[in-house]
Amino acid sequence: VETSTHPPVTDPFTPTALDDALLAAFRFTLQRQSGVVISSIAGFDGMMAELHELRRTRGIEELERVSSQTTTALAGPIPFTYRTLFKDWDATPALLAWFAKFFLPFLVGDMTLT
């Protein structure tokens, strides 16, 4: 039985089916970008174990490269749209925070919008 070598997540966050699907897509993309598929641990803990292994075996520069490529691959047209349409809006930070709260809670955790 494989176990994680990093501290367990103690956040009481309970993922929804959408969270699970988004995390799976994120993890799948990370695995394709890095070539590291070493963990049979499910979910976020498994993804973290793979990232720790990537950093340990290939170094921080490779981890940064993979992170950047993963973000680019998953972002699609969002950066272009942001730079083209929303960069000068005063409400842009609030819009990004709202998006993260409702669509990326598996990455940002429970957050309160103010």
Side-chain angles (χ1 to χ4, degrees), residues 5-67:
T5 58
H6 63 284
V9 176
T10 57
D11 183 14
F13 173 75
T14 303
T16 65
L18 177 61
D19 295 326
D20 289 339
L22 291 171
L23 177 59
F26 193 82
R27 187 172 176 185
F28 177 81
T29 304
L30 277 170
Q31 291 169 342
R32 294 301 152 291
Q33 297 295 331
S34 70
V36 175
V37 184
I38 53 96
S39 180
S40 61
I41 301 169
F44 187 81
D45 285 341
M47 181 180 69
M48 292 305 298
E50 290 171 356
L51 290 170
H52 284 286
E53 182 65 12
L54 176 65
R55 183 185 65 195
R56 187 184 70 74
T57 60
R58 298 192 195 158
I60 193 71
E61 292 82 15
E62 179 68 2
L63 179 61
E64 289 173 355
R65 184 192 67 75
V66 167
S67 297

